[in-house]
Amino acid sequence: GAVVSQHPSWVICKSGTSVKIECRSLDFQATTMFWYRQFPKQSLMLMATSNEGSKATYEQGVEKDKFLINHASLTLSTLTVTSAHPEDSSFYICSATTRGRGNTIYFGEGSWLTVV
Amino acid sequence: KQEVTQIPAALSVPEGENLVLNCSFTDSAIYNLQWFRQDPGKGLTSLLLIQSSQREQTSGRLNASLDKSSGRSTLYIAASQPGDSATYLCAAAGDYKLSFGAGTTVTVRA
């Protein structure tokens, strides 16, 4: 069964509003979580890496004030898309890993965001 | 920086034909390589994971090989079915990060 749960799977929001996506590790403590974004017909691109209890590290070109990442506990990370615009419509997916799992990275199911 | 390339970008085959999907990566210092399936509007499904010390993994009709020295992995799908139609992504894992290819979109015609 799934070891990383992502919610919601689908979300439609109005332009200018904020939307939060949750990523939970179900049976392990995720010391590190990653957030990816995929635009149509493009590769999944890493947005940011978050370690529990510290600030996320954002990849170049990703606005940290727009994509707020919180990794407040060892089982939960959240991505908040603030003041969403239609160009933020994308597939967002999280993954998690921990020491002792043989460098295996577990993925959530992904979240489809549509901003109208 | 790891670069992952998948060729071809799209593939259309008649039902029953075997599928061969290619993935190449530039940095051979990987922990593992994973193959995923992505259906339109849905999340990723993990298909196979090959650790860096392994040469191949098999699951049902799927077989994936890994040649780290040449920076290549190949996913074979035997006796394709229309239900195999999807986009297949490979991802190379290094330093706890995955680098993805752009995917190969497969259409299996009935």
Side-chain angles (χ1 to χ4, degrees):
Chain A
V3 295
V4 174
S5 174
Q6 193 170 336
H7 177 81
S9 300
W10 287 88
V11 58
I12 300 174
C13 70
K14 290 186 177 180
S15 186
T17 62
S18 296
V19 61
K20 181 185 287 186
I21 301 170
E22 293 187 348
C23 179
R24 293 180 184 274
S25 57
L26 299 181
D27 69 347
F28 67 99
Q29 294 182 326
T31 50
T32 307
M33 285 188 169
F34 307 89
W35 287 94
Y36 294 83
R37 176 173 58 183
Q38 182 185 35
F39 292 109
K41 299 188 179 181
Q42 295 186 28
S43 304
L44 277 152
M45 298 298 294
L46 179 65
M47 297 175 67
T49 303
S50 72
N51 294 296
E52 185 267 338
S54 62
K55 289 184 179 180
T57 302
Y58 290 80
E59 297 297 303
Q60 194 171 7
V62 178
E63 300 173 59
K64 60 182 179 183
D65 294 330
K66 181 170 183 62
F67 299 99
L68 302 179
I69 292 172
N70 185 289
H71 191 168
S73 77
L74 283 169
T75 59
L76 175 64
S77 177
T78 60
L79 167 68
T80 302
V81 183
T82 63
S83 187
H85 289 105
E87 57 264 33
D88 297 324
S89 299
S90 184
F91 178 66
Y92 294 86
I93 193 165
C94 71
S95 66
T97 190
T98 191
R99 300 180 192 92
R101 285 259 177 167
N103 298 321
T104 300
I105 301 175
Y106 299 92
F107 278 84
E109 301 91 340
S111 300
W112 290 92
L113 169 64
T114 301
V115 184
V116 297
Chain B
K1 182 186 171 187
Q2 180 75 272
E3 302 276 347
V4 180
T5 305
Q6 287 187 250
I7 295 173
L11 188 59
S12 178
V13 299
E15 184 177 1
E17 195 163 297
N18 296 331
L19 288 163
V20 180
L21 308 179
N22 297 301
C23 172
S24 62
F25 47 95
T26 55
D27 186 351
S28 61
I30 62 171
Y31 295 123
N32 58 59
L33 187 130
Q34 302 184 48
W35 283 92
F36 296 89
R37 170 183 171 140
Q38 185 177 39
D39 292 282
K42 297 191 178 176
L44 293 180
T45 301
S46 179
L47 297 176
L48 291 167
L49 183 152
I50 313 173
Q51 298 291 353
S52 62
S53 58
Q54 298 174 320
R55 295 299 297 259
E56 67 176 344
Q57 278 286 333
T58 298
S59 176
R61 294 185 293 112
L62 305 179
N63 174 278
S65 66
L66 174 64
D67 184 342
K68 270 183 58 177
S69 60
S70 66
R72 283 189 240 176
S73 178
T74 303
L75 176 67
Y76 302 90
I77 303 177
S80 62
Q81 304 168 359
D84 295 329
S85 298
T87 297
Y88 292 84
L89 300 167
C90 71
D95 292 333
Y96 295 101
K97 296 180 183 179
L98 262 68
S99 299
F100 284 85
T104 296
T105 298
V106 171
T107 303
V108 180
R109 307 185 303 271

